[in-house]
Amino acid sequence: MESSKVIHAFYNDDEIVLDAVKSVKADGHHIEEVFCPFPVHGLDKAMGLAPTKLAITAFFYGITGLSVAIWMTNYMMIQDWPQDIGGKPSFSWAENMPAFVPIMFELTVFFAAHLMVITFYMRSRIWPFKKAENPDPRTTDDHFLMEIPVHNNVEELTALLEKTGAVEINVVDKH
């Protein structure tokens, strides 16, 4: 069955694979995935992927951290156990806010960083002890792999990929 087959085109340079992606997309073919040993700047745009909304998520995580810091400093230092430290009584949170700025900053960064890591792992479906999904171990070392679905056009795709500089082209069953 042709529809379960894909072409794996290997490249050995990031600029060559970027140009190849542009050529394949311009020719009207769908690229399933590109596996790279390191991030390639501009590859997401060349593949036509939608921009990520992770920055918005980071902002809301930071706001959550700031809110927790404000609540925590108010509860601990003003309501629960007010203390006269260095002659500065704790009558209100607003009067003592300058002393709480480092705590607010650190918790903002802490929440944003830690929750972003968790969000990234969940969004990427990278779970602890998950088996690697890359189709060839060379993609973690020095090769780039473009995966294109086959629809009775093996010869056409092979000719196009050879023209774009692929060093190896294989037709494999997708599992």
Side-chain angles (χ1 to χ4, degrees):
M1 185 172 172
E2 284 287 324
S3 63
S4 67
K5 292 188 181 284
V6 292
I7 287 184
H8 285 172
F10 289 88
Y11 297 87
N12 56 9
D13 187 76
D14 58 333
E15 293 194 19
I16 295 173
V17 77
L18 187 58
D19 291 338
V21 166
K22 291 175 185 175
S23 297
V24 170
K25 291 296 277 186
D27 206 43
H29 299 286
H30 172 71
I31 299 172
E32 191 70 30
E33 188 65 75
V34 177
F35 296 89
C36 304
F38 54 84
V40 177
H41 180 70
L43 186 60
D44 52 346
K45 185 178 177 187
M47 288 182 64
L49 300 176
T52 180
K53 294 181 177 86
L54 285 176
I56 297 168
T57 308
F59 175 75
F60 284 115
Y61 291 158
I63 292 296
T64 303
L66 179 64
S67 301
V68 168
I70 290 170
W71 172 81
M72 184 181 79
T73 53
N74 182 55
Y75 178 74
M76 289 180 183
M77 300 299 291
I78 306 302
Q79 294 176 1
D80 186 42
W81 197 331
Q83 299 176 39
D84 187 349
I85 300 173
K88 298 178 184 177
S90 299
F91 293 129
S92 73
W93 185 88
E95 289 177 325
N96 291 285
M97 191 272 294
F100 302 144
V101 168
I103 297 165
M104 293 187 299
F105 173 77
E106 291 298 333
L107 280 182
T108 300
V109 172
F110 180 86
F111 271 65
H114 285 79
L115 292 175
M116 279 305 296
V117 168
I118 293 168
T119 301
F120 172 75
Y121 284 147
M122 289 174 58
R123 180 74 178 97
S124 302
R125 295 186 180 119
I126 300 175
W127 313 111
F129 311 109
K130 182 181 180 193
K131 185 181 175 206
E133 292 181 0
N134 56 330
D136 192 288
R138 293 178 289 177
T139 60
T140 62
D141 188 24
D142 61 349
H143 279 72
F144 302 83
L145 184 144
M146 186 188 316
E147 186 176 88
I148 307 168
V150 174
H151 301 292
N152 295 324
N153 56 353
V154 176
E155 294 82 15
E156 175 194 347
L157 277 173
T158 304
L160 175 64
L161 294 169
E162 284 174 355
K163 193 169 66 172
T164 62
V167 295
E168 182 182 329
I169 300 171
N170 302 321
V171 179
V172 297
D173 284 323
K174 186 165 182 159
H175 29 99

